[in-house]
Amino acid sequence: MPAAPEPLGRLGKLDRLGLRQRLNLALAALALPLLLAALAALGAHLYAMRAESEYQNGEKTVLLRSQQALLAARAGDMDALRAMMREVAQRSGLPDLRAQAQAVAVASNDAASQGAVRSAVLQPLLEQLQRLARDADAAARQQASRAATIAFAALLAAPLIALLIGGWLARRITAGVDLTLRECIQLASDIIAGDYISVQRARAAAVLAAASGRKKGSGATPLAEIGATGKNEFTVLANTLAGVAAEMEAVERRRADVEESNASLERARRLLQSCTETLAQSSDESLLLQAVCQHLVDADYSIAWAGLARSDRERNVELVAHAGSDRDYVAQLNLGWGHDRQRCVGAGAAIAERRTLMTANVGASGKFAAWRTGSLPRGLGACIAIPLQHQGSMIGCLSLYSKHLRPFSEVEIAMLHAIAAGLSGALHSLRAAAERQRIEEQLSRHANYDSLTGLANRFTLESGLQKLAADSKDSSRKVAVFSVDLDRFRDVNDTLGHDQGDRMLAEVARRLESAAGSGGVAARLGADEFVVVLPQLESATAAESAAGAMLAALSRRLEQGPDGLAPSASIGISLYPDDSVEVAAALRHANLAMHDAKAAGGNTFRFYGPEMNARATARFAMEAELRRALEHKELMMHYQPQVSLVNGVITGAEALMRWYHPTRGIVGPKEFIRLAEECGLLLPFGIWAIDNVCAQIAAWLREGLPVPTISVNLSPSQFNQPDLLVTVRQSLERYRLEPRQLALEITESAVMRDTEAAGERLRELHALGVRLILDQFGTGQSSFSYLKRFPISHLKIDRSFVRDITTVPDDAAICNAVIALAHNLHATVVAQGVETEEQVSYLRRRNCDEIQGQFFSRALPPQGFAQLLSSHRKLPLGEVDETLHTILLLDDEANIVRALGRALRSDGYKILAAVSAEEAFRLLAVNEVQVVVSDQRMPDMSGTEFLSRVKDLYPDTIRIVLSGYADLESVIDAINRGAIYRFFTKPWDDGQLRACVREAFRQHRIGLAVA
């Protein structure tokens, strides 16, 4: 059905008229056509009357005159004839009739001039004139009759037509009034009934359409666009109802939005709660990521996946967890966070740019271009990629897909950021815990197992041997101890290099471990010295067969090495309990038998037995010579310096014993220390070493040399002597030495044998004032729970870890772990056996404090060490570190400043002295100072106030307060604000103060490295 035309749209905007105006206009629409019809009828009547009048005055008169003219012509009255013809010519409206009348007049004039009437000439003209007159009369009559008919028809049709037009106009004018009223009533009823969402929209549209003259149903009209112009009753009512409907719809929409927001918040709360519980309970990184992704998918996300930022060359983003659909699609994204622009999109770009990326339409976003081809067919819409980072450290990215094409809400984004932050923190904690566990396990393993071969070390071997011996007693069987020493192994190292030697040792260890089986023990005690223990053997024959099998297994060619290279070994066998009643002696006996096998040419085995008396006799002879060495003063201490990696100065020295044999020359400790231990000479040797070192220190001090702290090695037996404290105190008092000038080195294994007794003894020595150094750290079995309770000032990294620190990752990891552990325990780290510049550089970069080894100096006799001290030789460290050891001392008493300078000068610092705060500030302005030591009570400014200003002016400095009268509240306040690093009271302990200053410089160096 075609749409109705706009109602009188061109006549004046009827939709603005009210009800009364519309009714008046309707009545006018009825009356006006009737009036026009009456006027039309009157006009038709006048037209008919005029036609009749024209007929009476026109053609009818012409016909009469033409008849009279015919009679006058017959009578010969020419004048009358001419007069009649002139009247006919004037009255006739027909051209032919006028022309004919003029012709008759002319003919009559000619006849009259001749004086005779010529009927023969005029008669035809008059007859023709009469015929034309009759035709004209008939035509005029017919026209008058038609005019009368028209007038009659107009009188009948005009009122009817006017009535129809008026009714149509009135209906059009009043159209919509009743519809508007009905729709308004129905709309009000719907609103009252509560149905104001779907019904009221259509009703309001209909009301306004009716009010404005639009056709109902002509098109859908949004409620926001409904409205009518004008101020009549209908538009006011329609607009009022439409406003009520719109307000009700807005209220309902707000209620729905609130409900949706509340539901979204509840989902977010449940999601956060589930993720928080997972973060708190998870102990595995991959399981944690997978659980969080699953929680997100359960919360109505289509896909959730987590990728970790790898630090490989390509900087890949590795998919480690996924939940939801299309895992294959996520896996094939091949994202990265490096410089490859094609791969650094989406999650990769979020990681690289360290910010959240999101889009409401993955297919239309350039940031997610790499995901476009796969996301569109899968119906994936919105996407967000949130970087996972903790304290500036980038971990990875959490990415989510949604099927909806809508932006993420603020609540949703905040929730996801909270989840990402918690997940980043949990991942960081898990990684830190895993790293700590790895280091502890690695240290524990290196404390119990050999780092190169993975075999048990001596401590583990002795523990296992005790258990195997006890089991053999119960079963009345034998335990065979095989001491295995490789033949000519030194030649392999010297000829083929240490790398090939290490590969040979690893392969030998694997073969010996296979020979030991599941019930035996294989251990490495030295460079090329191994021990295999086989339990539950029935006889010596079984041990002999096992030794032969070992030799055969060892003699096979190495797969990785030069052609024909095959190891050979000398094996010594000791049977328990046949050869000894003590388990510990079985190792010594096997070692003695091994030396006999080596003396026989190697690549064979020997049992321990009486035939070894000759060698025992020689050992006893050497033991006797060693006993006389102490009486004949053949022993001498050599001193190997220790140097600082901070400023290169000599910070200490280790006293090493040497035997000046009258015939053999200088005998190294490896040749006589073990023998001295076996024959019980280590205890008197140790007492002599402490006394000799103290005497030497006193002699050097009398010569005015800057003597550093000298350390003396204590054997386990000497350390466990109850009178050790008395021995040390007597030596110090005898030579009038400060306790800080002597240090005692204790091996890790000696300390850990009896931790409670060792801890008590160490605390007594620490109270005396001597320094305590833990030697060979990492080679024994340390318990960190006990180690942190020991008053150790120095930790020494064993040379076995330092030797390959630049080539073997495991050794480097151990050194790094020991350095970190020592610093956490506030101990100084000393690396032993440093022989190359590469080792020095590596240890220095890892914040190792001091080194000791051939690189700087070998162990020197007393005269040589004295010359070294007098030369003030330093370890060259480069110009970059020369300025990083400046300290400022401030005290209003000049003698205190000088005393502090004397205590710290031996450490090689550049010392600046000031007796007032003003002078101190001037020195700080012109010098680069790292550590500041200030008195607390000064006349012009307190120490805490001075250091607080220094903190504001030079925040990188390390600040220490030293005072005899401390204002506790001000000091605590300064410490809380970070203005003070440490607090010392007067009188101070030089050793503690120096250690604190060294720690302060290390903290400053670490702070610069972090910055």
Side-chain angles (χ1 to χ4, degrees):
M1 180 178 180
E6 293 292 331
L8 299 180
R10 300 185 180 89
L11 299 181
K13 297 184 180 179
L14 296 179
D15 56 327
R16 300 194 181 201
L17 300 179
L19 180 60
R20 177 178 298 178
Q21 288 84 357
R22 289 198 183 190
L23 292 177
N24 292 336
L25 185 59
L27 291 176
L30 287 173
L32 183 60
L34 291 176
L35 178 60
L36 293 177
L39 293 176
L42 179 60
H45 176 69
L46 293 176
Y47 170 72
M49 291 180 63
R50 190 179 65 179
E52 182 64 26
S53 175
E54 288 179 353
Y55 167 69
Q56 294 293 336
N57 296 329
E59 276 68 14
K60 188 175 182 179
T61 301
V62 171
L63 179 60
L64 181 59
R65 292 300 182 192
S66 61
Q67 292 177 354
Q68 293 175 356
L70 182 59
L71 295 177
R74 288 178 177 173
D77 188 356
M78 293 295 115
D79 294 329
L81 178 59
R82 285 194 296 273
M84 292 177 186
M85 290 303 103
R86 283 195 295 270
E87 184 177 0
V88 169
Q90 292 174 356
R91 288 181 177 271
S92 177
L94 299 175
D96 295 340
L97 190 59
R98 287 197 300 271
Q100 188 64 31
Q102 291 176 356
V104 172
V106 172
S108 61
N109 190 31
D110 293 338
S113 62
Q114 295 177 2
V117 177
R118 297 183 182 272
S119 301
V121 177
L122 293 175
Q123 187 65 31
L125 294 173
L126 290 174
E127 289 178 357
Q128 186 178 2
L129 177 63
Q130 190 174 10
R131 189 171 54 255
L132 290 175
R134 282 195 300 271
D135 293 340
D137 178 67
R141 188 186 300 276
Q142 185 178 2
Q143 183 176 3
S145 176
R146 187 167 53 253
T149 301
I150 291 173
F152 181 75
L155 289 174
L156 293 178
L160 181 59
I161 294 172
L163 185 61
L164 292 175
I165 294 174
W168 179 78
L169 289 175
R171 182 175 179 80
R172 292 291 291 178
I173 293 172
T174 58
V177 173
D178 57 340
L179 176 61
T180 301
L181 293 176
R182 286 196 304 271
E183 295 293 348
C184 289
I185 294 172
Q186 185 61 45
L187 178 57
S189 300
D190 293 338
I191 295 175
I192 293 173
D195 188 8
Y196 45 78
I197 294 301
S198 60
V199 175
Q200 97 337 347
R201 183 183 293 273
R203 292 291 183 192
V207 168
L208 293 178
S212 60
R214 291 191 298 269
K215 182 180 179 181
K216 178 182 178 181
S218 60
T221 305
L223 192 61
E225 298 178 4
I226 292 177
T229 58
K231 298 182 180 179
N232 59 68
E233 301 92 331
F234 303 116
T235 56
V236 172
L237 178 59
N239 285 329
T240 301
L241 292 176
V244 172
E247 183 63 27
M248 297 301 290
E249 182 184 30
V251 171
E252 183 64 19
R253 186 184 298 111
R254 287 194 295 270
R255 184 188 65 80
D257 292 342
V258 170
E259 291 180 354
E260 182 179 357
S261 177
N262 292 336
S264 177
L265 289 174
E266 179 61 22
R267 289 195 302 271
R269 187 192 65 79
R270 290 197 299 270
L271 178 59
L272 282 174
Q273 181 179 2
S274 60
C275 289
T276 302
E277 293 175 355
T278 300
L279 294 176
Q281 298 173 1
S282 181
S283 59
D284 182 82
E285 181 175 311
S286 59
L287 294 179
L288 171 62
L289 291 171
Q290 183 62 41
V292 171
C293 289
Q294 188 60 50
H295 288 321
L296 291 169
V297 170
D298 294 340
D300 200 27
Y301 290 99
S302 300
I303 301 175
W305 66 277
L308 296 183
R310 297 307 185 191
S311 298
D312 49 11
R313 185 175 62 182
E314 292 79 12
R315 291 196 173 187
N316 293 312
V317 178
E318 179 185 356
L319 172 64
V320 294
H322 171 274
S325 61
D326 301 307
R327 179 182 177 88
D328 295 339
Y329 159 64
V330 177
Q332 58 85 30
L333 290 177
N334 189 26
L335 299 179
W337 60 288
H339 299 292
D340 190 347
R341 294 182 177 273
Q342 294 181 351
R343 299 179 63 218
C344 188
V345 294
I351 295 173
E353 300 175 12
R354 297 176 178 264
R355 64 186 182 92
T356 299
L357 298 179
M358 53 186 167
T359 179
N361 188 350
V362 178
S365 175
K367 299 177 182 177
F368 297 84
W371 304 1
R372 183 178 303 162
T373 56
S375 61
L376 294 178
R378 291 172 171 82
L380 301 177
C383 179
I384 186 171
I386 307 174
L388 302 176
Q389 53 184 333
H390 181 79
Q391 296 180 352
S393 176
M394 186 56 61
I395 299 176
C397 185
L398 179 65
S399 299
L400 301 173
Y401 283 95
S402 174
K403 290 187 177 297
H404 305 291
L405 293 175
R406 59 173 177 79
F408 292 89
S409 65
E410 295 182 0
V411 174
E412 191 175 12
I413 294 173
M415 174 199 66
L416 294 177
H417 281 162
I419 292 175
L423 182 58
S424 300
L427 290 175
H428 177 77
S429 299
L430 289 176
R431 291 184 175 185
E435 181 65 16
R436 287 194 301 271
Q437 182 179 2
R438 186 188 68 81
I439 292 175
E440 290 177 1
E441 290 177 353
Q442 194 173 35
L443 289 175
S444 177
R445 178 167 183 82
H446 283 288
N448 295 277
Y449 295 90
D450 179 61
S451 60
L452 176 62
T453 63
L455 298 181
N457 60 11
R458 181 180 295 276
F459 182 83
T460 307
L461 172 65
E462 292 176 353
S463 301
L465 186 57
Q466 293 284 348
K467 182 178 182 304
L468 294 176
D471 294 341
S472 69
K473 284 185 178 180
D474 297 337
S475 62
S476 300
R477 295 199 173 194
K478 305 179 187 300
V479 175
V481 179
F482 300 83
S483 178
V484 182
D485 190 88
L486 298 182
D487 299 330
R488 298 178 300 279
F489 179 71
R490 183 183 298 273
D491 296 338
V492 175
N493 279 336
D494 294 342
T495 305
L496 303 178
H498 289 283
D499 291 341
Q500 182 61 47
D502 290 344
R503 285 194 290 270
M504 176 181 284
L505 291 175
E507 180 62 22
V508 168
R510 187 186 65 79
R511 296 177 184 182
L512 291 178
E513 189 174 24
S514 176
S518 59
V521 176
R524 182 191 180 200
L525 304 185
D528 58 345
E529 184 179 355
F530 299 87
V531 172
V532 176
V533 180
L534 296 181
Q536 303 296 325
L537 296 182
E538 296 181 356
S539 63
T541 304
E544 183 178 357
S545 299
M550 289 183 196
L551 289 176
L554 292 176
S555 62
R556 294 197 306 269
R557 186 181 62 85
L558 296 178
E559 295 181 359
Q560 295 182 356
D563 294 339
L565 179 62
S568 65
S570 300
I571 301 177
I573 308 171
S574 174
L575 297 179
Y576 175 87
D578 294 354
D579 296 332
S580 64
V581 294
E582 295 181 1
V583 177
L587 290 173
R588 295 196 300 271
H589 293 164
N591 189 61
L592 291 175
M594 180 269 296
H595 283 291
D596 275 0
K598 190 173 287 292
N603 197 24
T604 186
F605 61 87
R606 290 288 186 270
F607 282 90
Y608 175 78
E611 65 275 9
M612 301 177 185
N613 289 336
R615 191 181 64 82
T617 300
R619 185 179 71 86
F620 291 145
M622 186 174 182
E623 177 182 343
E625 293 175 348
L626 193 57
R627 291 181 185 274
R628 290 195 301 268
L630 189 58
E631 298 174 359
H632 297 167
K633 298 182 180 181
E634 296 174 357
L635 297 179
M636 181 178 290
M637 303 302 292
H638 284 201
Y639 301 88
Q640 187 170 37
Q642 300 163 356
V643 293
S644 171
L645 289 179
V646 176
N647 47 37
V649 301
I650 298 175
T651 58
E654 180 182 1
L656 301 172
M657 189 177 294
R658 298 291 186 267
W659 181 14
Y660 280 75
H661 194 277
T663 58
R664 299 172 58 186
I666 299 179
V667 181
K670 289 185 179 180
E671 298 186 37
F672 69 91
I673 289 297
R674 180 174 295 184
L675 178 59
E677 181 181 7
E678 293 177 359
C679 62
L681 290 176
L682 275 186
L683 183 58
F685 281 12
I687 296 174
W688 173 85
I690 293 175
D691 188 82
N692 181 271
V693 168
C694 289
Q696 187 63 66
I697 293 174
W700 283 334
L701 290 175
R702 288 193 298 270
E703 295 175 9
L705 295 176
V707 185
T709 301
I710 307 298
S711 62
V712 180
N713 289 284
L714 297 181
S715 65
S717 59
Q718 185 179 10
F719 176 72
N720 292 320
Q721 289 297 314
D723 59 348
L724 174 62
L725 181 65
V726 176
T727 300
V728 175
R729 181 186 292 114
Q730 289 178 350
S731 296
L732 292 173
E733 292 175 354
R734 183 180 303 116
Y735 300 102
R736 299 179 181 180
L737 298 179
E738 293 291 338
R740 61 180 178 81
Q741 293 177 317
L742 180 66
L744 300 178
E745 294 194 17
I746 306 100
T747 61
E748 183 181 7
S749 58
V751 172
M752 298 309 301
R753 286 182 178 179
D754 187 353
T755 56
E756 296 296 334
E760 181 63 24
R761 191 165 293 107
L762 289 173
R763 284 188 286 273
E764 292 175 354
L765 293 171
H766 179 70
L768 179 62
V770 298
R771 292 184 183 178
L772 299 175
I773 301 174
L774 190 60
D775 193 14
Q776 298 178 2
F777 184 75
T779 60
Q781 186 179 20
S782 295
S783 173
F784 297 140
S785 61
Y786 286 98
L787 186 61
K788 67 181 181 181
R789 293 158 52 186
F790 296 157
I792 302 297
S793 64
H794 289 64
L795 286 181
K796 277 194 170 183
I797 304 176
D798 190 74
R799 65 181 65 248
S800 62
F801 302 134
V802 176
R803 181 186 62 191
D804 299 321
I805 192 173
T806 60
T807 58
V808 179
D810 288 343
D811 289 348
I814 292 174
C815 290
N816 294 337
V818 171
I819 293 171
L821 175 64
H823 289 170
N824 288 332
L825 295 175
H826 305 289
T828 302
V829 184
V830 182
Q832 293 180 289
V834 177
E835 299 178 355
T836 65
E837 183 178 358
E838 291 79 8
Q839 294 170 347
V840 173
S841 177
Y842 184 91
L843 291 168
R844 189 183 178 201
R845 290 198 305 270
R846 296 304 183 272
N847 294 320
C848 182
D849 301 302
E850 300 173 3
I851 64 168
Q852 173 184 341
Q854 298 284 349
F855 182 79
F856 180 76
S857 173
R858 61 181 178 85
L860 301 173
Q863 299 81 359
F865 189 74
Q867 292 177 1
L868 179 64
L869 292 177
S870 61
S871 67
H872 300 287
R873 178 186 166 193
K874 298 172 64 177
L875 177 69
L877 295 176
E879 297 181 356
V880 65
D881 291 323
E882 289 297 321
T883 61
L884 295 180
H885 54 277
T886 303
I887 183 170
L888 172 65
L889 305 177
L890 170 62
D891 198 295
D892 58 329
E893 297 182 21
N895 59 335
I896 298 296
V897 175
R898 288 193 294 271
L900 289 172
R902 286 194 300 270
L904 298 174
R905 186 172 295 112
S906 61
D907 290 333
Y909 304 128
K910 178 182 178 181
I911 299 176
L912 304 176
V915 294
S916 67
E918 180 180 359
E919 183 181 1
F921 280 125
R922 186 169 62 254
L923 291 174
L924 286 170
V926 297
N927 293 277
E928 184 177 355
V929 178
Q930 292 79 42
V931 178
V932 180
V933 179
S934 171
D935 183 27
Q936 171 63 12
R937 287 203 169 187
M938 295 181 292
D940 54 344
M941 184 183 298
S942 68
T944 54
E945 182 181 359
F946 167 74
L947 293 178
S948 296
R949 293 189 182 183
V950 172
K951 174 181 179 292
D952 295 334
L953 294 172
Y954 309 99
D956 292 334
T957 56
I958 306 297
R959 298 161 293 277
I960 301 174
V961 165
L962 182 66
S963 178
Y965 305 92
D967 181 2
L968 185 59
E969 292 184 359
S970 63
V971 171
I972 292 176
D973 179 67
I975 293 176
N976 291 337
R977 290 187 288 107
I980 296 177
Y981 169 70
R982 289 286 176 85
F983 177 82
F984 274 84
T985 59
K986 296 179 181 179
W988 63 87
D989 180 83
D990 285 348
Q992 294 180 358
L993 179 62
R994 291 173 63 193
C996 178
V997 170
R998 283 196 301 271
E999 178 66 17
F1001 275 104
R1002 181 166 61 243
Q1003 291 296 329
H1004 181 271
R1005 188 167 63 253
I1006 293 174
L1008 291 181
V1010 172

